[in-house]
Amino acid sequence: MTSFARALVAGVSVIALTAPAFAQSTLPQADDSYFLAAQAELAAKEAVQPNTGKAKNVIMFIVDGLSVPTITAARILEGQNAGVDGESHSLAFEKLLPHTALVKTYTHDSQVADSAPTATAITSGVKSLNGTIGVDQTAVLEDCSSQAGSTTKSIFEQAEEAGLATGIISTARITHATPAAAYAHTVARDWENDTQLPEDAVGTCADIAAQLVDWSFGDGFEVAFGGGRANFMLDSQADPEDATRMGARKDRDLIADWQAKHNDGTYVWNQEGFDALGADTTRVLGLFNGSHMQYEADREKDAGGEPSIAQMTTKAIEILEKNDTGYVLMVEGGRVDHAHHAGNAARALTDTIAVSEAVQAAYDAVNPEETLILVTADHSHVFTIAGYPVRGNPILGIAGTADDGKAYTTLGYMNGPGAASYDEANPPTRPEGADADAPLTIRADLKDVDTTDIDFLQQALIPMGSESHAGDDVTIFAQGPQGYLFDGVIEQNMIYHVMAKALELNAAK
């Protein structure tokens, strides 16, 4: 066999075998700032050694809808907001979590996923059906009779059985798809309270809120922070934050039931109650909004408002670390997804930055050598960064002028509420003074519009009341025990298996 053939078999670059060594200091670009920065980055990567030990703790950040363009745009926005170069800036999790992989997000029945089966893949290790939570591929959507024989066991349920503490945090309703995958088993993600159950499911399939309170694994969750208060309250009970809004349930006051079940627990519903949680707190249920919590850009920060995702993460770790065996914590940035659905990039990026701050807070609060920290997404969005804006151009700003003579933004959507529809009141036009051969379009000219306004909706191609998910791969970032296993392109359900291996749970042995 020739040396060339041996190199191919070994997977070694032939060029690397035959090319003469050279001193990089002789290169004309050796003093270039980019060259030197890359050399420093290479040295940092060479210093990273795989952590093959056992994890005492696992913290999974699931950022709903965190596409790669969302990461890029958020890093640029955070940098620009801080007055530094946005393009070369990095979010906290990009700097702190060195191991990365691309994650395939398809489900058992769909090219483009929703949050229910993707969260199930992450927490239970199997791919399942859109619209279902905590069940496998044998379940039938919205068929209660198919549920009993198809349920999975989540890593949270396994952790409780192993004596670990557990916690869930979400800026969405705590009964929403992603946090529900920690504890619920249902063939319909919309069955969040008893009034949403179909007649044939009543008495057989429990609603999601009831499953949280009745969760029987170990001694139950030590921490649950999020929104969704209405799903735990009777429809005869006024919301403590807004007396004009009532609860959603007809059967049980689940907050009272939780308090009766956990005499060591504390229930809180606003910033004041959250701030009052002391060093003696060992269990807490915090429901900070009737529905989803506020976007970070709108969050009220007074006593009657809501804690930030970073504050909730730090407090959860303080409580969970009281268990000497360890803990498993999920932190969901749920409203990134909602802002994208609304076609509102500014809020999506602001909530992404808030999650990054929570990752930094978590990293600072733990021993990273014994804590596996992950940041990933359940699915992507049809969100794009396009055009040819110059370096340093505001990421929420105008990228240039299109062939129709109208200004367009760097950020946009393939579909969503930002699209214009043709009708008699909105005929195709070209701007005044545009070339006669410029194409007629129905979209607005943005040259005099403040596209950086928090309420601005980016333009979209296809008109839809709610922008849709996308089917492209998402990213996972990791550090800590077994984090090096996140490498290359992986199936989404592999995330569970790495976490279980790190914790040395029985099912992973």
Side-chain angles (χ1 to χ4, degrees):
M1 184 181 291
T2 67
S3 60
F4 182 88
R6 284 194 296 271
L8 289 180
V9 171
V12 177
S13 167
V14 176
I15 294 175
L17 288 175
T18 59
F22 56 85
Q24 289 183 338
S25 61
T26 66
L27 295 174
Q29 67 268 35
D31 294 328
D32 181 270
S33 61
Y34 291 106
F35 192 92
L36 293 171
Q39 287 289 299
E41 184 177 358
L42 175 61
K45 287 184 176 296
E46 289 176 329
V48 175
Q49 297 297 316
N51 183 338
T52 60
K54 178 182 183 295
K56 179 180 180 181
N57 317 305
V58 169
I59 304 175
M60 66 184 88
F61 287 86
I62 303 178
V63 191
D64 202 324
L66 187 69
S67 62
V68 172
T70 304
I71 295 171
T72 304
R75 89 161 68 102
I76 294 173
L77 180 62
E78 183 180 63
Q80 291 179 342
N81 287 345
V84 300
D85 177 49
E87 288 81 2
S88 64
H89 180 67
S90 296
L91 296 166
F93 57 81
E94 296 179 290
K95 294 180 290 187
L96 298 173
L97 314 184
H99 304 293
T100 61
L102 291 176
V103 181
K104 301 178 185 178
T105 61
Y106 70 91
T107 68
H108 181 67
D109 65 337
S110 183
Q111 287 181 342
V112 179
D114 76 54
S115 298
T118 49
T120 299
I122 294 169
T123 58
S124 295
V126 300
K127 286 184 179 280
S128 55
L129 313 175
N130 271 9
T132 66
I133 300 171
V135 295
D136 62 27
Q137 61 185 274
T138 65
V140 178
L141 181 65
E142 298 181 354
D143 180 356
C144 175
S145 66
S146 74
Q147 185 170 302
S150 64
T151 58
T152 60
K153 180 179 284 188
S154 78
I155 197 166
F156 292 87
E157 292 165 339
Q158 291 176 266
E160 279 289 336
E161 290 179 337
L164 280 72
T166 54
I168 46 174
I169 296 170
S170 179
T171 55
R173 294 190 295 269
I174 203 67
T175 51
H176 216 232
T178 301
Y183 61 86
H185 307 276
T186 179
V187 291
R189 60 172 288 177
D190 293 332
W191 295 353
E192 294 187 51
N193 65 67
D194 66 305
T195 66
Q196 295 167 327
L197 292 171
E199 185 175 348
D200 64 351
V202 175
T204 304
C205 290
D207 65 86
I208 295 172
Q211 289 189 58
L212 175 57
V213 172
D214 296 336
W215 204 56
S216 60
F217 291 86
D219 61 355
F221 287 105
E222 279 72 22
V223 176
F225 288 145
R229 194 164 52 224
N231 288 324
F232 296 80
M233 297 170 54
L234 291 168
D235 60 7
S236 59
Q237 295 175 305
D239 188 271
E241 193 174 17
D242 183 351
T244 67
R245 296 181 181 272
M246 310 300 286
R249 305 191 66 85
K250 290 188 177 296
D251 61 349
R252 300 164 56 190
D253 177 349
L254 289 182
I255 294 173
D257 286 358
W258 182 87
Q259 291 173 312
K261 181 179 180 180
H262 298 293
N263 57 15
D264 62 336
T266 303
Y267 168 66
V268 295
W269 59 271
N270 62 7
Q271 183 77 54
E272 182 178 22
F274 178 86
D275 291 342
L277 296 171
D280 59 342
T281 302
T282 57
R283 188 183 307 276
V284 60
L285 172 64
L287 300 174
F288 301 109
N289 199 298
S291 185
H292 302 303
M293 293 180 68
Q294 295 173 326
Y295 290 111
E296 179 61 24
D298 308 318
R299 185 171 62 86
E300 296 176 15
K301 301 174 179 63
D302 57 17
E306 302 173 359
S308 71
I309 190 170
Q311 290 173 330
M312 291 189 289
T313 299
T314 301
K315 180 60 67 175
I317 292 171
E318 289 176 5
I319 296 170
L320 295 172
E321 67 182 6
K322 295 175 181 178
N323 185 319
D324 292 334
T325 305
Y327 58 82
V328 178
L329 171 65
M330 176 199 288
V331 183
E332 187 207 15
R335 306 229 62 194
V336 174
D337 174 76
H338 299 161
H340 275 324
H341 280 306
N344 181 203
R347 284 187 172 85
L349 303 183
T350 302
D351 267 47
T352 300
I353 293 169
V355 172
S356 181
E357 293 169 353
V359 175
Q360 181 72 63
Y363 187 89
D364 292 342
V366 303
N367 178 351
E369 289 300 310
E370 64 181 18
T371 305
L372 175 60
I373 303 176
L374 315 173
V375 175
T376 191
D378 43 4
H379 55 73
S380 183
H381 273 273
V382 293
F383 174 64
T384 64
I385 306 174
Y388 299 98
V390 299
R391 181 78 173 265
N393 194 62
I395 191 63
L396 294 169
I398 299 295
T401 303
D403 288 349
D404 61 1
K406 299 176 181 179
Y408 67 95
T409 55
T410 304
L411 305 180
Y413 292 92
M414 176 66 179
N415 58 47
S421 298
Y422 169 77
D423 55 39
E424 291 183 0
N426 185 31
T429 62
R430 62 174 61 91
E432 184 178 348
D435 293 341
D437 59 353
L440 292 166
T441 64
I442 57 175
R443 71 183 190 92
D445 189 350
L446 301 176
K447 69 180 180 66
D448 295 322
V449 176
D450 181 7
T451 62
T452 66
D453 186 271
I454 193 69
D455 293 320
F456 176 75
L457 302 187
Q458 276 67 28
Q459 290 180 331
L461 176 62
I462 300 168
M464 292 176 63
S466 176
E467 176 265 4
S468 76
H469 296 172
D472 45 297
D473 297 350
V474 297
T475 309
I476 186 166
F477 301 82
Q479 83 84 48
Q482 309 300 326
Y484 74 97
L485 294 173
F486 293 112
D487 183 46
V489 181
I490 65 171
E491 297 287 352
Q492 191 164 45
N493 56 304
M494 177 60 72
I495 298 172
Y496 159 86
H497 294 277
V498 176
M499 293 190 295
K501 174 179 172 60
L503 290 168
E504 297 183 358
L505 297 176
N506 290 335
K509 291 181 178 179

